[in-house]
Amino acid sequence: MALIEFTDKGLCCPQGKFYIDPWKPVDKALITHAHSDHARWGSKSYLCHTYSKPILQLRLGDNPYQTVEWNENISINGVKVSFHPAGHVIGSSQIRVEYNGEVWVVSGDYKVVDDGISGQFEPVPCNTFITESTFGLPIYKWKLPEQINKDIQNWILKNQEEGRTSVIIAYSLGKAQRVLKAIAEVTQNIFVHGAIYNIHATLMQAGWNLPAVKRVTNETKKEELAGSVVVAPPSADGSSWMKRFTPYSVGVCSGWMQVRGNARRRNVDAGFAMSDHADWAGLLQAVKATGADKVFVTHGFQAQFSRFLNENGIEAAEVKTEYGNDEEEGPTALTAAEE
Amino acid sequence: MNKNIDDIENLIQLEHLRDSAPPTNGGGLGLFANLVKVLGSSTKTNDKLEALVNYFALADNKDKVWVIALFSGRKPKRAVNTTQLITWCIEVTDLPGWLFGESYHTVGDLAETIALLLPETISSEQQHESKPLYFYIEKFKQIEKQDESVKRKFIIESWEQMDQNERFVFNKLITGAFRIGVSQKMMVNALAKFTSLEASVIAHRISGNWDPSTTTFGELLNENPAITDYSKPYPFYLAYALDEEPANLGDPDNWQVEWKWDGIRGQVIKRNNQLFVWSRGEELMTEKFPEYSCLKDLLPDGTVLDGEIIPSIDKKPLPFALLQTRIGRKNVTKKNLQETPITFFAYDLLEYNYEDWRNKPLSERRKQLEAIIRPLTTPTIILSPVISFSDWNELAELRQTSRENGAEGFMIKRKSSLYQVGRKTGDWWKWKIDPLVIDCVMIYAEKGSGRRSNLYTAYTFAVKDGEKLIPFTRAYSGLTDKEFAEVDSFVKRNSLEKFGPVRTVKPELVFEIAFEGIAASNRHKSGVALRFPRINRWRKDKKPDEINTLEDLKKMLEVYGTKPQS
Ligand SMILES: [Zn+2]
Ligand SMILES: [Zn+2]
């Protein structure tokens, strides 16, 4: 019996009788982070990081939630479990599982650079590492967060000069919070879509210090919107909801914007290759830092990334999961797979 | 600012010190790379125009000539081939070949893949010097015949001195044409700011046969050109689709109506006792159609005709598929000439007696056109007939007979219209017949190329034949991005088998395919070939067992099809 098995309900630890990020209802679910492809509805009880709880409550409703801090050791049916920062979004954690001296780490989603809000990714030594591979090709190389922020700020300033509203498309959990910090450095006139507002309000209530924003409603006046910055989720892009901002420019924050064709295909004015996932170098760095002698590769370019690891002396295999297709954002092309 | 690029430490420090102003990169390839980036990403015509005007204001004269040439489809000398380029990229990046392949498959563009993979030596934010565009193009010519090692050294050293955007355009220069969203009209409008020449004259100057390596910017836009290029065509005037009732066009007497032919738009030029045939894609096609050589003796010198290149027998057009078999051929056989004789259906006169007639009204041009063509007895050139009709209802009825007449609807042209440049609204309309449609089910899917390289967007469709599904066409367009994404996710969840890049998909999604024509074909399993198939709509309301049958297709073939002669 392996410490963690891949079942049709998700990643299962039979010894501890719990699942990690299951995609079907189970008795006990350990949740790496609150994105809806990792945190699903219907389980009897949930264990997550303290920061994830308010968002889970918002998204999944009232359930029995147990919370832990990073690096806090707990025991579940004799299996030692601890959470460690994954740097993906607020509260996102890698989950370390230990039994009889054998250690597995489930990465969930992660990035290795510090975005100043999601915590600094912590390499956790282990025997077996289960990694994501959303951007597991060497064409994906991110600029430093400060540089992307500067690019976004320059774009906003240029739009203001030209009298256009800047509409920024970003995921409601993760990139929206990151991008708001950058926006607040150039303007106070910030509006957000309802979906982002809900998360924003929840996080503020939980004590997070985020920039002040206004919610776009049907009462919002055109004069207020002029020259403002609006943050909206991908589902809003191209919808009639956007019309009220005319004249506006659309900028999409997504790792997929790394490839010119993707920005063109979505018919956006600007694409910012900003991601909450590790780029190619980040994935390699993370895998090597764990010292794992066996790596399982999940959602993304798993075939390519695992082949590369195998050819470079790290035993790896791909695993099919149901992560990476998030229903909340709908099937909005490439970007839907990024959560 | 000059920098020693060997000193990486120093570079990194400089990068940190740089101020937040956007980079200017002081002209050259950097300026061009910036232009390509804006043109490729902006969605607003005005932004593109502004970027072009800025570019022409700042760039070196020699570079400008090359940009005009590149953007109108001319290519620099091909110094290295793509295999070499890939090999050197793999050497520099130290990646396995298969991973390069996977990356290319995902990006969909070779130049961009290489630009993304190469290790960064200079970041895009960094101020750095870049050499002029013409430097690289001249260099390509120099090294073309030299040893591979010389080429390798030049390419790799060039990469090292470039940021990612510059590498992209540099690789593009090597690998082929720039296909970006710049219409000729836009380029003409941008250039018009720098000269007193009229837009139509500029458009004329930059089309046709000229060599960017010997032509100067001054010559190109000189008010009195010294050299005469006899082959030079005029830019085509294009019609807009009529999207309202023709009755709104007012008095029928003000309009000239012709059939809209389904061939290749072309210009026949007779000047200096030479004949030139141009396609609308600005391709010189004189040699492709030996039939036309007789026109050299028949047309008066200094004549330019606008019309349709189309195979026909007894003034009746043959299906487009036959024209395609002619174009694809290197050598035209006697049999070809007999079976698919190419005709020129003339419908406009642009130049007469070496005089530009574009600013005369259509009625006057038509009169003179008839005077030129009528006396000719060759079957190679005919007048595209003017349809007589007394009211718009009558015309609507006649339109129903388009397919029988080998046409795809009508061209409606204002009799007083001048021959303008590009697509202009108001005077010329195309009133096309509704496409043929058929309901079918998707059975195979393949990833798209270029901008859709990550999604399954190329589909094969089938109709049913009893219990069997018979594939009959492929289509790549017609869905919104959202729908493509939805189908893509269906494909990923419902693949039955994988054959290389093709996935067999559960036959479940029903689509309505629209097409312009149908012809018998023995190269297709279904026995038919469609013209211009595209997805008309996704029939979410229909089940796979409600799709059309092979029988239905064959009926359409009987009614609308034109069988190739055997
Ligand atoms: Zn994920
Ligand atoms: Zn996620």
Side-chain angles (χ1 to χ4, degrees):
Chain A
M1 186 169 67
L3 186 50
I4 289 176
E5 292 184 339
F6 304 101
T7 73
D8 57 356
K9 288 182 178 165
L11 309 184
C12 175
C13 174
Q15 189 66 41
K17 299 192 178 63
F18 60 80
Y19 285 80
I20 296 172
D21 293 353
W23 45 84
K24 285 192 179 139
V26 298
D27 286 343
K28 189 162 188 64
L30 277 55
I31 301 298
T32 61
H33 67 290
H35 276 151
S36 52
D37 54 331
H38 290 258
R40 300 204 194 213
W41 178 87
S43 288
K44 288 206 181 110
S45 73
Y46 292 90
L47 172 67
C48 62
H49 186 266
T50 323
Y51 294 159
S52 294
K53 184 181 166 187
I55 316 163
L56 288 179
Q57 264 173 327
L58 173 72
R59 290 188 155 177
L60 305 179
D62 274 334
N63 287 293
Y65 294 106
Q66 190 195 338
T67 61
V68 285
E69 301 296 325
W70 283 320
N71 288 298
E72 177 187 343
N73 287 321
I74 57 169
S75 169
I76 307 175
N77 297 316
V79 175
K80 199 171 144 192
V81 172
S82 54
F83 282 49
H84 305 267
H88 175 54
V89 297
I90 286 177
S92 68
S93 308
Q94 309 171 71
I95 299 180
R96 181 185 185 277
V97 178
E98 179 182 349
Y99 185 71
N100 270 349
E102 190 186 350
V103 179
W104 287 51
V105 169
V106 177
S107 78
D109 292 339
Y110 65 93
K111 68 172 174 291
V112 294
V113 290
D114 189 351
D115 64 14
I117 193 163
S118 310
Q120 168 72 62
F121 175 88
E122 175 192 317
V124 184
C126 57
N127 305 102
T128 306
F129 185 51
I130 303 178
T131 180
E132 59 134 324
S133 61
T134 309
F135 291 105
L137 280 183
I139 51 171
Y140 299 109
K141 289 179 224 173
W142 309 145
K143 289 187 189 178
L144 293 174
E146 307 85 74
Q147 185 54 52
I148 302 174
N149 288 347
K150 206 165 269 171
D151 290 348
I152 295 173
Q153 289 166 345
N154 284 336
W155 178 73
I156 293 171
L157 295 174
K158 184 171 162 270
N159 288 334
Q160 285 177 341
E161 248 168 57
E162 287 162 6
R164 292 181 196 156
T165 299
S166 308
V167 181
I168 294 178
I169 303 295
Y171 286 98
S172 43
L173 173 58
K175 258 170 284 181
Q177 289 80 44
R178 271 176 80 178
V179 90
L180 278 174
K181 289 221 152 179
I183 298 166
E185 288 174 20
V186 287
T187 179
Q188 263 70 60
N189 195 10
I190 310 173
F191 283 87
V192 298
H193 182 275
I196 291 172
Y197 188 84
N198 288 341
I199 300 235
H200 194 83
T202 304
L203 289 171
M204 295 279 269
Q205 206 170 14
W208 289 89
N209 179 21
L210 299 171
V213 300
K214 289 161 275 187
R215 181 186 189 141
V216 178
T217 67
N218 287 334
E219 277 75 55
T220 309
K221 295 206 176 58
K222 232 178 142 64
E223 307 84 73
E224 297 176 73
L225 291 168
S228 70
V229 178
V230 179
V231 185
S235 55
D237 186 15
S239 72
S240 58
W241 181 82
M242 303 269 282
K243 284 201 190 108
R244 68 190 79 200
F245 307 120
T246 312
Y248 64 86
S249 281
V250 187
V252 171
C253 298
S254 160
W256 303 111
M257 295 297 120
Q258 176 84 342
V259 174
R260 285 170 191 244
N262 290 338
R264 206 161 53 232
R265 200 182 68 76
R266 290 196 52 179
N267 201 28
V268 296
D269 304 296
F272 303 102
M274 172 198 239
S275 180
D276 283 329
H277 294 266
D279 60 7
W280 172 257
L283 289 169
L284 283 176
Q285 181 196 329
V287 165
K288 284 182 186 150
T290 63
D293 40 45
K294 171 92 198 186
V295 175
F296 288 104
V297 184
T298 69
H299 62 314
F301 290 97
Q302 61 263 39
Q304 294 84 348
F305 191 52
S306 54
R307 178 170 173 190
F308 185 84
L309 292 178
N310 277 318
E311 288 180 4
N312 285 274
I314 298 171
E315 193 192 335
E318 45 176 317
V319 181
K320 220 172 131 54
T321 61
E322 292 191 11
Y323 307 136
N325 39 16
D326 174 53
E327 63 276 70
E328 180 208 343
E329 310 294 358
T332 39
L334 302 158
T335 37
E338 214 190 322
E339 281 220 354
Chain B
M1 193 165 25
N2 259 314
K3 271 185 216 139
N4 176 6
I5 62 135
D6 296 325
D7 191 353
I8 302 290
E9 283 295 327
N10 189 26
L11 273 185
I12 293 168
Q13 213 166 5
L14 275 170
E15 195 198 344
H16 287 171
L17 287 173
R18 76 177 182 269
D19 69 32
S20 63
T24 53
N25 287 348
L29 192 71
L31 194 67
F32 177 57
N34 218 32
L35 171 69
V36 169
K37 197 169 175 207
V38 176
L39 294 177
S41 64
S42 76
T43 54
K44 296 176 179 73
T45 311
N46 266 343
D47 292 353
K48 292 185 186 184
L49 183 64
E50 190 191 307
L52 274 171
V53 171
N54 279 342
Y55 180 83
F56 286 128
L58 295 174
D60 178 284
N61 270 344
K62 269 169 128 175
D63 277 11
K64 288 184 215 170
V65 171
W66 269 107
V67 168
I68 296 169
L70 291 169
F71 288 0
S72 51
R74 291 166 183 83
K75 292 169 199 169
K77 268 264 180 297
R78 194 155 190 156
V80 302
N81 59 42
T82 50
T83 314
Q84 291 169 321
L85 216 52
I86 293 170
T87 310
W88 301 332
C89 174
I90 287 173
E91 277 173 36
V92 173
T93 55
D94 199 20
L95 290 171
W98 66 265
L99 193 53
F100 181 92
E102 294 283 354
S103 299
Y104 175 38
H105 188 72
T106 299
V107 176
D109 180 285
L110 187 66
E112 187 177 4
T113 308
I114 293 173
L116 288 171
L117 288 177
L118 291 171
E120 183 173 89
T121 45
I122 294 174
S123 87
S124 318
E125 286 74 35
Q126 210 171 327
Q127 297 266 349
H128 61 278
E129 195 140 287
S130 66
K131 296 200 174 74
L133 178 62
Y134 71 82
F135 164 82
Y136 291 105
I137 293 172
E138 283 172 4
K139 197 84 186 174
F140 291 154
K141 207 168 166 182
Q142 275 171 31
I143 62 171
E144 192 202 354
K145 296 259 152 57
Q146 294 195 356
D147 262 10
E148 175 152 335
S149 63
V150 177
K151 297 180 181 183
R152 182 180 177 279
K153 184 164 180 280
F154 170 69
I155 300 291
I156 293 179
E157 281 179 2
S158 299
W159 279 339
E160 279 170 359
Q161 295 164 28
M162 295 175 183
D163 69 22
Q164 199 196 80
N165 288 325
E166 291 163 349
R167 285 168 176 174
F168 171 70
V169 294
F170 175 72
N171 295 343
K172 273 279 178 206
L173 287 174
I174 298 171
T175 56
F178 280 87
R179 248 180 260 139
I180 40 173
V182 178
S183 63
Q184 191 182 45
K185 187 166 129 194
M186 188 184 290
M187 196 151 68
V188 167
N189 286 345
L191 287 171
K193 309 240 174 202
F194 301 95
T195 158
S196 59
L197 292 176
E198 262 183 74
S200 66
V201 178
I202 299 174
H204 190 198
R205 292 276 183 84
I206 65 174
S207 56
N209 252 347
W210 53 275
D211 182 355
S213 58
T214 54
T215 309
T216 67
F217 189 68
E219 278 164 15
L220 205 56
L221 294 183
N222 190 322
E223 332 250 304
N224 307 298
I227 322 149
T228 318
D229 171 8
Y230 291 111
S231 79
K232 190 161 275 192
Y234 291 99
F236 287 90
Y237 179 19
L238 308 173
Y240 264 98
L242 187 66
D243 50 6
E244 49 176 353
E245 286 301 311
N248 294 343
L249 296 176
D251 188 353
D253 271 352
N254 293 337
W255 299 87
Q256 171 181 316
V257 174
E258 305 152 33
W259 292 112
K260 183 179 186 319
W261 302 113
D262 187 14
I264 297 175
R265 181 93 180 265
Q267 254 175 63
V268 167
I269 297 175
K270 160 88 182 284
R271 289 189 194 120
N272 197 33
N273 241 341
Q274 289 171 284
L275 188 84
F276 307 94
V277 181
W278 290 93
S279 77
R280 192 182 128 190
E282 281 212 4
E283 214 182 327
L284 196 51
M285 304 184 94
T286 322
E287 307 302 320
K288 294 244 179 219
F289 310 119
E291 293 94 330
Y292 285 169
S293 61
C294 69
L295 299 178
K296 197 179 88 178
D297 298 324
L298 296 173
L299 293 173
D301 215 27
T303 303
V304 179
L305 304 175
D306 182 11
E308 202 85 1
I309 299 167
I310 193 165
S312 81
I313 289 179
D314 294 336
K315 302 196 173 184
K316 191 150 164 51
L318 300 172
F320 188 82
L322 293 175
L323 178 58
Q324 271 169 326
T325 62
R326 277 289 305 269
I327 296 168
R329 204 170 279 276
K330 272 231 172 75
N331 301 306
V332 183
T333 64
K334 221 172 172 172
K335 192 161 167 261
N336 297 143
L337 291 175
Q338 265 167 17
E339 283 176 2
T340 46
I342 303 292
T343 311
F344 192 74
F345 283 40
Y347 38 62
D348 217 325
L349 178 69
L350 311 188
E351 183 177 306
Y352 183 57
N353 275 336
Y354 286 104
E355 194 192 327
D356 185 347
W357 270 49
R358 292 178 296 163
N359 282 333
K360 296 182 192 285
L362 172 64
S363 49
E364 202 176 319
R365 300 198 307 269
R366 174 80 195 186
K367 217 167 125 199
Q368 188 57 47
L369 176 73
E370 291 182 0
I372 298 169
I373 309 291
R374 278 252 157 78
L376 306 179
T377 50
T378 167
T380 301
I381 192 162
I382 61 170
L383 276 167
S384 179
V386 168
I387 313 287
S388 66
F389 68 106
S390 46
D391 63 62
W392 295 109
N393 286 335
E394 189 190 339
L395 192 68
E397 245 163 68
L398 272 171
R399 180 164 159 266
Q400 301 307 320
T401 66
S402 297
R403 284 201 174 87
E404 285 127 85
N405 284 288
E408 46 180 3
F410 286 130
M411 292 300 305
I412 305 179
K413 301 171 180 173
R414 198 186 289 279
K415 285 180 182 165
S416 61
S417 64
L418 312 182
Y419 193 95
Q420 307 190 61
V421 169
R423 217 178 277 287
K424 292 260 163 60
T425 186
D427 283 346
W428 280 26
W429 300 100
K430 49 185 178 193
W431 192 27
K432 287 175 71 164
I433 38 177
D434 296 329
L436 298 164
V437 293
I438 192 152
D439 287 335
C440 52
V441 68
M442 177 178 75
I443 56 168
Y444 309 129
E446 228 180 299
K447 285 195 177 172
S449 57
R451 65 194 194 106
R452 287 191 180 135
S453 59
N454 243 320
L455 295 176
Y456 284 93
T457 57
Y459 314 125
T460 300
F461 300 94
V463 285
K464 60 179 180 180
D465 182 25
E467 288 300 293
K468 280 186 295 185
L469 287 173
I470 309 291
F472 71 103
T473 193
R474 276 157 59 88
Y476 318 82
S477 60
L479 293 181
T480 63
D481 283 350
K482 234 178 179 140
E483 286 170 326
F484 269 129
E486 223 177 302
V487 177
D488 172 74
S489 113
F490 172 87
V491 171
K492 285 173 182 154
R493 281 178 290 114
N494 293 282
S495 329
L496 304 172
E497 287 164 296
K498 235 177 169 174
F499 297 107
V502 181
R503 293 210 190 179
T504 317
V505 187
K506 210 156 128 198
E508 205 171 289
L509 305 188
V510 176
F511 295 90
E512 181 181 277
I513 300 293
F515 51 99
E516 299 301 326
I518 183 167
S521 157
N522 40 27
R523 284 182 302 142
H524 295 78
K525 202 172 172 185
S526 59
V528 300
L530 306 187
R531 170 136 166 78
F532 280 144
R534 71 267 178 189
I535 304 168
N536 213 28
R537 59 192 165 131
W538 186 349
R539 298 295 305 254
K540 289 186 175 174
D541 55 320
K542 282 209 166 180
K543 297 213 172 54
D545 56 352
E546 296 173 77
I547 60 173
N548 283 102
T549 62
L550 187 60
E551 203 42 47
D552 297 332
L553 262 185
K554 296 221 161 117
K555 265 186 216 144
M556 285 178 153
L557 181 63
E558 244 168 66
V559 180
Y560 306 111
T562 354
K563 292 174 197 79
Q565 301 141 306
S566 47

